[in-house]
Amino acid sequence: MSEREVLELLRENARYSTADIARMTDLSESEVEAAIEELEAAGVVRGYQAVVDWDKLEDERVRAEVELNVTLDRETGYADIAERLARFPQVKALRLVSGDYDFDMEVEADSIREVSQFVSEKVAPVPEITQTVTHYVMTSYKENGIELGDGDDDDRLSYSL
């Protein structure tokens, strides 16, 4: 049994039934159910979420990518800072990254003002954070592996031999 196959199918579409996954993997439904239960119990599968195309809604959300630079001391590590930041509901994703900054933080709120206030009043004052750079998301073309938009805007040139 390949837990990896089950995981990939759940990531593709978390609404697949156990019967669907069983057909696609040549496993029995009970094997699929057991695999999913084990993955959930082990904390590998942490939840199931819908991928939302906010541009299709009237009351769209404001999203931003925030770069964070930090300075560590003897008592504070990256995990300590991440734990503090991850508690805020506005933080949708938080990653320690390599490169010119330390953390990549995805933030979501109802307005640009709310995002700005959150960053300036809650994030920037954290003593270890030395710099923030906020990039507002203008349009999303792909989220969690799913292309967004109408799907019929294919303006690529045709190619033939």
Side-chain angles (χ1 to χ4, degrees):
M1 161 174 47
S2 173
E3 287 183 345
R4 182 66 146 201
E5 285 180 281
V6 173
L7 278 173
E8 289 301 325
L9 289 168
L10 287 173
R11 287 188 67 210
E12 178 183 306
N13 184 350
R15 293 189 66 179
Y16 281 146
S17 69
T18 54
D20 294 334
I21 295 172
R23 274 192 305 278
M24 291 183 260
T25 60
D26 292 328
L27 299 172
S28 69
E29 284 187 55
S30 61
E31 288 174 314
V32 171
E33 288 172 9
I36 292 172
E37 286 173 13
E38 286 175 27
L39 292 164
E40 290 172 343
V44 174
V45 173
R46 308 288 288 201
Y48 302 88
Q49 297 181 340
V51 176
V52 178
D53 187 346
W54 291 105
D55 292 339
K56 300 276 186 198
L57 296 175
E58 302 259 335
D59 60 335
E60 65 183 72
R61 303 276 290 164
V62 174
R63 292 169 297 141
E65 296 286 331
V66 183
E67 301 173 4
L68 303 174
N69 279 317
V70 301
T71 299
L72 302 178
D73 57 37
R74 287 191 170 144
E75 292 85 36
T76 308
Y78 289 118
D80 299 316
I81 297 166
E83 185 178 320
R84 230 177 306 166
L85 295 172
R87 288 186 182 138
F88 291 109
Q90 296 91 334
V91 176
K92 300 304 174 191
L94 180 64
R95 300 174 190 90
L96 181 64
V97 297
S98 63
D100 294 333
Y101 53 96
D102 300 305
F103 284 103
D104 176 46
M105 183 172 67
E106 291 180 29
V107 176
E108 191 175 281
D110 288 330
S111 68
I112 289 176
R113 178 183 301 258
E114 281 185 36
V115 170
S116 297
Q117 284 179 327
F118 170 69
V119 172
S120 65
E121 295 174 9
K122 301 293 186 191
V123 177
V126 173
E128 297 83 6
I129 295 177
T130 58
Q131 181 183 24
T132 67
V133 178
T134 303
H135 304 275
Y136 289 96
V137 176
M138 307 302 285
T139 301
S140 285
Y141 297 101
K142 191 172 185 177
E143 294 281 343
N144 294 344
I146 297 174
E147 290 187 44
L148 305 178
D150 295 333
D152 58 355
D153 293 339
D154 188 357
D155 53 357
R156 295 176 291 171
L157 298 175
S158 63
Y159 175 80
S160 62
L161 294 175

